[in-house]
Amino acid sequence: MSEQGKGSASTSTAAPAPGSDTYKGWLFKWTNYLKGYQRRWFVLSNGLLSYYRTQAEMAHTCRGTINLATAHIDTEDACNIVLSSGGRTYHLKASTEVERQRWVTALELAKAKAIRMMNDQSGDEEPTSQTDRSEIQGTLKVLVSKLDDLSTCNDLIAKHGAALQRSLSELEGLKVPLDGGEKIKAVNERATLFRITSNAMINACRDFLDLAESHSRRLQRALQYEREQRTHLEETIEQLAKQHNSLERAWREAPTHASSTPSSNPGSERVNKEDASDEDEDTEYFDAMDDSTEFITVTASESTQHKSVSMQFLSLEKEINSKEPVRCRQRRTQIPDKPNYSLNLWSIMKNCIGKELSKIPMPVNFNEPLSMLQRLTEDLEYHELLDKAARCESSLEQMCLVAAFSVSSYSTTVHRTAKPFNPLLGETYELDRLEEFGYRSLCEQVSHHPPAAAHHVISRRGWTLRQEITIASKFRGKYLSIMPLGVIHLHFHSSGNHYVWRKVTSTVHNIIVGRLWIDQSGDIEIINHTTKETCQLKFIPYSYFSRDVPRKVTGVVADSKGQAHYILSGTWDEKMESAKIIQSSEGASGSEGKQKTVYQTLPPKLLWKKYPLPENAENMYYFSSLALVLNEPEDGVALTDSRLRPDQRLMENGRWDEANVEKQRLEEKQRAVRRRREAEATDYEGYQPLWFHQRRESITGETNFVYKGGYWESKEREDWSMCPEIF
């Protein structure tokens, strides 16, 4: 296929055909650098993805097809899908991350089904080249033998057919009644047709064999070449990993290394082209024009602001900039420094490419001493944004603060490239800050495969937040994609406003060679289902060629009629601002011919600003002030609380070897409990969480785990007898 490349935004509408495995819809497909992305109709059926210019073309002209059984499915950013197989590459794009995820799910399912239907391989291991050659030669011998049989049959058919035709000709010459002659003539014609058909059949079989022989030789050469290239690539990458480890070890041992510490990620110093050269060679770009916003903001002059200035976010900036609330209890401000353990990353990760990371046993060397439940709780780092939002009389101003809160949850991830511990089934985590900040938070691991956690927070300052998050992660060799699947619900008690949104995709780059760095990309749509107001947030992926600031986030807050009222801008690792729109007009056309809207706004107001990291954070896993206290021991917590997990505690104390042994023990214990539970129950319906139960959500129509109560009452009674012994 000649149409290859990368690029820009698109719109797609996909829908499964009722009662079938077919999946159809519009996507944009990259064609070339002159035409860019073009709208195409895609059809996924029987393990094949085909595309057409229009739906009407399905009846006569297919523009291209790719076999998913041998295809590699990849995702570059929030909306991109890359399919590659046998030298052909499709670069596709959907309008939203949700739409992209639907297509990716359908493609992965179709690929799995296609692979199962392939009978030429009995396992995951590829046969050796010699075995392949023997099988192909054996198949060709069988085909030749069958062709000889067909040729013999054809000769016999021709011989007997000719004899039959002669006999019928002789009969035709005899004097027989008129009806008999007509019947003999008809039989003679049929015999002639039979002979012609037999000759056509044998010719077609001969052509088939010739074609099979030529294709077999070409495919055999291509397969051998690909195997050699893969072996060479693995050896090269392993050698690079060893050299990288040696250089890193030498750098640590150098006496002057402290004075020349490099920046934390490529995005921090784009002028340093030497650091970014590895990124360039990976050909993993994002076109700057494609990631640009679809609007332009112009700040109004002082004369145009007049009375409306005083009405926007009254005293909001002073409240945001006020110092952190005084805590009732003195909590810890440091943890033991992270040990300096060397690890050959490639020896562990090279067999994980394309697999779900949550199902792969990993040593604690890749972890940080927090569980995924505690990482979820870190979303509450800037809970005061919700406290302020609960006091807002304007739902549009409230939406701005909710948007800032959704962005703030990513601020702690900019340096956090280590993965949290996967929680054990039934593991819980509570954060009781009722006295200090007015809220109580509870998380529980409600499913193991797929891993899913339910989270419920209630604040006496006027809001309730709940979410169920399933983490899907894929290791693709040079980067790791982390896709949180699930919905976040936020409800304000006094106004009744109910907000819903989803998280964006996180990507960890330079997994094998280079300095690890993390990026967030994709779109967030926040909907107030009470007023139908919306906020569209765009997390722009990092690009070495872009003129935008790294980690940029833009957004528009609109009312129920789609009229824009506020522009949001900032970065997900530093701050967010809002500016009220006082006038809008149509501007110049963008890269795809779309007109950009020009908004005239008041000066921006600060919504949120990140707290500085604690002193010595670089040696404490880059934990924030909240993260440092999440694993601090507390009295009265449930027996299943993450603070009591022994392998995590050993890792925090710097005893990593013991932590690895304990981690393996806990995982084996969990598997044994599951096997015993399934064996004892005749009608096993799966694990039932202790504090959450499944309910159908009236707003989204989805079935989610919601808090059913009882936890805080059990804590008051100091009764945890119902808790399983998971540690």
Side-chain angles (χ1 to χ4, degrees), residues 407-428:
V407 174
S408 70
S409 63
Y410 298 98
S411 64
T412 62
T413 66
V414 64
H415 301 294
R416 304 271 290 279
T417 53
K419 66 183 290 287
F421 279 76
N422 292 329
L424 302 174
L425 189 61
E427 186 174 332
T428 61

Side-chain angles (χ1 to χ4, degrees), residues 388-432:
K388 293 177 176 65
R391 300 195 297 268
C392 282
E393 295 182 359
S394 167
S395 57
L396 291 170
E397 294 179 8
Q398 188 177 75
M399 174 69 84
C400 292
L401 288 167
V402 172
F405 174 78
S406 68
V407 174
S408 70
S409 63
Y410 298 98
S411 64
T412 62
T413 66
V414 64
H415 301 294
R416 304 271 290 279
T417 53
K419 66 183 290 287
F421 279 76
N422 292 329
L424 302 174
L425 189 61
E427 186 174 332
T428 61
Y429 181 75
E430 68 158 73
L431 188 66
D432 190 349

Side-chain angles (χ1 to χ4, degrees), residues 360-381:
I360 300 170
M362 306 286 279
V364 300
N365 306 55
F366 295 103
N367 288 35
E368 61 181 19
L370 289 178
S371 75
M372 178 56 70
L373 303 182
Q374 290 164 316
R375 284 292 291 267
L376 270 182
T377 307
E378 275 194 78
D379 288 356
L380 302 173
E381 176 101 27

